[in-house]
Amino acid sequence: MAACGGEDRTQILPQLSTGGAGGNSSAPAAGAGTAGLGGTAGAPDDGPRAPQKLLLLHTNDIHSHLMGFGPERDYTPATTNDDATHGGFARLASAIGRARASAAAADRAVLQLDAGDFMMGTLFELLGTLEAPELRMMQALGYDATTLGNHEFDWTPAGLAAILQAAGARQVSLPILSSNLQFSSSDPGDDALAALVQSTGALRAKLVKNVGGLKVGLFGLLGANASQVTPQARPLTFEPIADAAERMVRELREVDDVDLVIALSHSGIDAQGHGEDADLAAAVPGIDIIVSGHTHDVLPQPAQVGDTLIVTAGSYSGYLGELALTVTPAASPGGRARVALDDYMLLDIDDSIPGDATTQAGLEQFVQGLDAALGIRHLGYRQVVAETPVDLPLPLYQEAPIGDLVTDAYRSVVSALDPMQPPALAFDADGQIRAPILEGKTGEIWFTDLFQVLPIGIGPDQVPGFPLVSFYLNPKDIRSGLELNGVPQLVGSDLFLEISGMKVELDASKPPFQRVSRLALVTDSGEQELDVTDTTTCYRVVTTNYVAGLLSLVSSATNGALSVSAKDADCATLIDPTTRYVDIDPTSPGVQELKHWQALLDYVSKLPDTDADGTPDVPSSYGTAQGRIVQH
């Protein structure tokens, strides 16, 4: 029985209205400017109103990247022009402070927004249910609102509830907008989140606030692709974004009588201005601005669909969007304001920007907390775990060197655990491999850099990280799964599979889902070509339980033309692959889950120390793709 009874809980998110500028209770970090700048005016006066200048600052897909990215060993926020890293909240705080100061000088009101996926991507996430560092830092930097991305659900609805509860305990009042989230009325899996929302308003359906002389209405959305690739959000469901947006626009305009409607939409737009948020703007023309997230694309200038402006700002705190507008309120009730684009800048948060010292000091306190927790595992945030003489990049839609390392790690570590039945193959999807490994100035790989490669997910043991699972597939299954690699632009880069133990050749001249022209096992004795129609021979496979849970997408993506069915060792009995966990310690009672990041750490820790300096060295052969996925 659901904790909240059997009532319909599909629309229970409370709403928030405020005349304040920041919507939060704590002061911003030094360098971030005044959170209330230009936003403390009361309700607009009756009668015609003068045009209002507005600066909209925006980010998206921060993914816990509170420090600079690539590699963090090189990040020097206290000095400028001496490293090649990007992002970091100390630099972002300084950039926000500068933007707010310029806006104040131009008598321009400021609104600061984020489009979701603020969590999951670095070691800072490990403090989420205790300290909520991401939301605390966003509040300190003066954000007015954010929304939920798909990765906020990585630890299930109960995990999100624990994160939001921790944020509330730390006096975080930053509005988190979610307008199309729907709770289950029967499944108790989302009860903790539903109860928290009902009792505290931790999630809001909308936000109405006065910014300068404007009344602004905001709402939040999670798109179709984002919800599709988030099975761990069950039993939550998400209303189609066009339906939710139409409802919210009507309410904001007709009931709340706002001048400006802004959607924080974690649905996505690409660098060419195409995607779910462009489709949303065409379907629901009443939205003035869409701040878009999810795709991690860089859009140098706003996309315009009808009268809607759409902006997005890359990922990992690497960019700050600065959208300057002049908004002329409607002359009569019920009319729509006129929005004119004055200027736009997508600021690269790089080493030309000095980091704010107060913000960085706060982050160092979180690092100390992480070191204390990691010490139990004899690890440290800045512990050197390996060295690399090359970059291991993560390109889109092709074999990735970092993917070769990751899948080799899975196969090698599981083979060592079970040498009598070693897996022949290992897979992972690019959507779960979140970062490259970069050589940087020193070649040192800190633990924090290694963790960023595989930072997401959780298993039944509630320890962060997707657990590895193992099962059996026949060549026909393997071919069906790898057919998605032949049409990555159609199914998305997140489902592109990296492999170990196999070579696949793809023929782009063939029709979609018929492009796998050759499969071959790669063993110490050479290549063994497989018959792609074979359904009687099976091979042991290792991957994450997340990827295993997406096997059904092969059928839906191909309209039933292809399918993948996980099997037991007899190659006949169908099984649920998401429960076939690799046991890191078979001698102990129960299953000790082997996490994907643990396998990677174990693998690199045992690489040869070729320069005899006491630190393992990544072979230079990982600097380039190894010909496992060949596209003709």
Side-chain angles (χ1 to χ4, degrees):
M1 187 70 170
C4 295
E7 77 277 18
D8 179 10
R9 294 193 280 117
T10 60
Q11 299 290 343
I12 66 168
L13 298 187
Q15 300 171 354
L16 176 70
S17 180
T18 174
N24 55 59
S25 59
S26 70
T34 303
L37 184 64
T40 57
D45 296 330
D46 293 336
R49 289 174 284 148
Q52 169 71 63
K53 294 180 179 180
L54 177 67
L55 177 65
L56 193 157
L57 303 177
H58 67 92
T59 57
N60 54 273
D61 296 278
I62 291 170
H63 284 290
S64 303
H65 278 264
L66 307 181
M67 296 284 202
F69 175 73
E72 194 171 320
R73 171 69 176 81
D74 292 356
Y75 179 50
T76 57
T79 57
T80 58
N81 302 313
D82 57 2
D83 75 60
T85 64
H86 292 263
F89 262 43
R91 292 174 180 162
L92 184 62
S94 295
I96 290 170
R98 290 179 179 180
R100 286 183 176 275
S102 296
D107 194 26
R108 194 178 287 273
V110 177
L111 189 62
Q112 187 173 319
L113 305 171
D114 179 77
D117 270 3
F118 49 83
M119 284 202 65
M120 305 301 168
T122 75
L123 284 170
F124 288 109
E125 73 190 46
L126 302 185
L127 297 176
T129 59
L130 299 173
E131 300 288 342
E134 297 87 351
L135 289 170
R136 288 172 67 184
M137 295 306 300
M138 290 174 72
Q139 177 160 290
L141 265 62
Y143 279 85
D144 291 290
T146 185
T147 190
L148 295 175
N150 51 299
H151 285 287
E152 270 70 75
F153 299 98
D154 275 0
W155 293 353
T156 73
L160 175 58
I163 291 165
L164 297 179
Q165 190 169 29
R170 295 293 182 174
Q171 288 74 54
V172 173
S173 56
L174 171 65
I176 302 174
L177 308 181
S178 183
S179 308
N180 67 326
L181 183 151
Q182 298 175 315
F183 291 95
S184 170
S185 60
S186 57
D187 191 317
D190 59 10
D191 280 0
L193 182 61
L196 183 71
V197 169
Q198 286 182 313
S199 63
T200 69
L203 302 177
R204 310 283 179 174
K206 67 179 180 180
L207 172 66
V208 178
K209 66 181 303 170
N210 298 318
V211 183
L214 298 171
K215 192 175 185 182
V216 180
L218 303 102
F219 63 99
L221 301 169
L222 187 79
N225 177 264
S227 59
Q228 181 185 47
V229 297
T230 315
Q232 58 272 37
R234 300 183 185 122
L236 296 170
T237 56
F238 298 89
E239 182 184 8
I241 59 173
D243 294 346
E246 184 175 10
R247 173 171 48 79
M248 295 307 302
V249 168
R250 182 169 59 250
E251 180 176 334
L252 288 167
R253 292 202 180 278
E254 296 178 4
V255 178
D256 298 301
D257 193 27
V258 301
D259 298 305
L260 198 66
V261 173
I262 300 175
L264 306 181
S265 181
H266 198 82
S267 306
I269 190 167
D270 65 21
Q272 288 72 47
H274 305 297
E276 287 187 45
D277 281 323
D279 297 339
L280 172 65
V284 186
I287 306 171
D288 294 302
I289 301 163
I290 298 174
V291 181
S292 178
H294 185 53
T295 58
H296 294 204
D297 279 289
V298 175
L299 195 61
Q301 290 294 319
Q304 183 158 1
V305 178
D307 292 328
T308 303
L309 294 172
I310 309 171
V311 292
T312 195
S315 61
Y316 296 174
S317 71
Y319 293 91
L320 176 66
E322 303 182 18
L323 179 68
L325 305 169
T326 296
V327 181
T328 303
S332 58
R336 183 171 175 180
R338 186 170 70 252
V339 180
L341 174 62
D342 298 335
D343 193 17
Y344 185 74
M345 178 170 64
L346 192 59
L347 179 66
D348 189 346
I349 306 299
D350 61 14
D351 194 37
S352 66
I353 301 170
D356 174 65
T358 301
T359 301
Q360 187 61 27
L363 292 174
E364 292 298 334
Q365 292 181 353
F366 290 129
V367 171
Q368 291 175 17
L370 284 166
D371 280 337
L374 293 169
I376 299 173
R377 294 178 177 264
H378 307 290
L379 291 169
Y381 185 93
R382 295 184 170 103
Q383 180 176 330
V384 179
V385 295
E387 296 172 333
T388 180
V390 292
D391 290 345
L392 280 67
L394 180 58
L396 291 178
Y397 306 130
Q398 57 186 295
E399 178 186 344
I402 187 63
D404 292 342
L405 180 73
V406 166
T407 52
D408 282 354
Y410 295 171
R411 192 159 64 101
S412 174
V413 171
V414 176
S415 294
L417 288 171
D418 192 1
M420 299 303 294
Q421 292 182 305
L425 305 171
F427 296 92
D428 205 349
D430 278 358
Q432 308 315 301
I433 303 173
R434 308 298 295 182
I437 288 176
L438 302 178
E439 178 186 9
K441 294 180 180 179
T442 67
E444 292 183 354
I445 302 172
W446 284 354
F447 177 55
T448 186
D449 293 311
L450 193 75
F451 185 82
Q452 287 172 26
V453 176
L454 298 170
I456 59 179
I458 203 164
D461 63 2
Q462 296 304 297
V463 174
F466 284 124
L468 295 187
V469 295
S470 186
F471 48 93
Y472 291 81
L473 296 175
N474 61 43
K476 186 177 180 181
D477 292 316
I478 297 166
R479 172 250 167 172
S480 296
L482 288 170
E483 282 289 357
L484 300 189
N485 280 19
V487 287
Q489 288 83 355
L490 179 63
V491 300
S493 62
D494 282 358
L495 299 182
F496 191 92
L497 292 175
E498 306 291 344
I499 56 177
S500 175
M502 172 166 282
K503 175 181 283 189
V504 57
E505 296 185 16
L506 302 163
D507 186 349
S509 69
K510 300 295 184 182
F513 309 122
Q514 300 177 34
R515 292 178 176 175
V516 173
S517 60
R518 180 175 182 264
L519 286 180
L521 285 181
V522 179
T523 66
D524 292 340
S525 58
E527 296 183 9
Q528 174 189 339
E529 189 153 351
L530 302 182
D531 176 1
V532 298
T533 66
D534 181 3
T535 61
T536 61
T537 309
C538 276
Y539 301 92
R540 189 181 180 195
V541 172
V542 61
T543 186
T544 67
N545 71 332
Y546 176 86
V547 173
L550 296 180
L551 295 184
S552 62
L553 288 182
V554 175
S555 179
S556 60
T558 63
N559 292 318
L562 301 171
S563 63
V564 178
S565 299
K567 301 167 183 67
D568 213 334
D570 62 6
C571 202
T573 305
L574 300 183
I575 53 96
D576 177 1
T578 65
T579 63
R580 296 299 179 102
Y581 303 108
V582 174
D583 192 346
I584 198 171
D585 184 9
T587 63
S588 297
V591 175
Q592 326 303 314
E593 297 173 21
L594 173 62
K595 306 298 183 175
H596 56 357
W597 65 264
Q598 290 175 321
L600 180 61
L601 175 63
D602 185 67
Y603 182 69
V604 302
S605 298
K606 294 175 181 176
L607 290 171
D609 177 13
T610 56
D611 57 6
D613 66 351
T615 303
D617 295 290
V618 175
S620 59
S621 59
Y622 280 114
T624 58
Q626 299 181 15
R628 303 176 184 186
I629 304 170
V630 179
Q631 304 183 62
H632 300 296

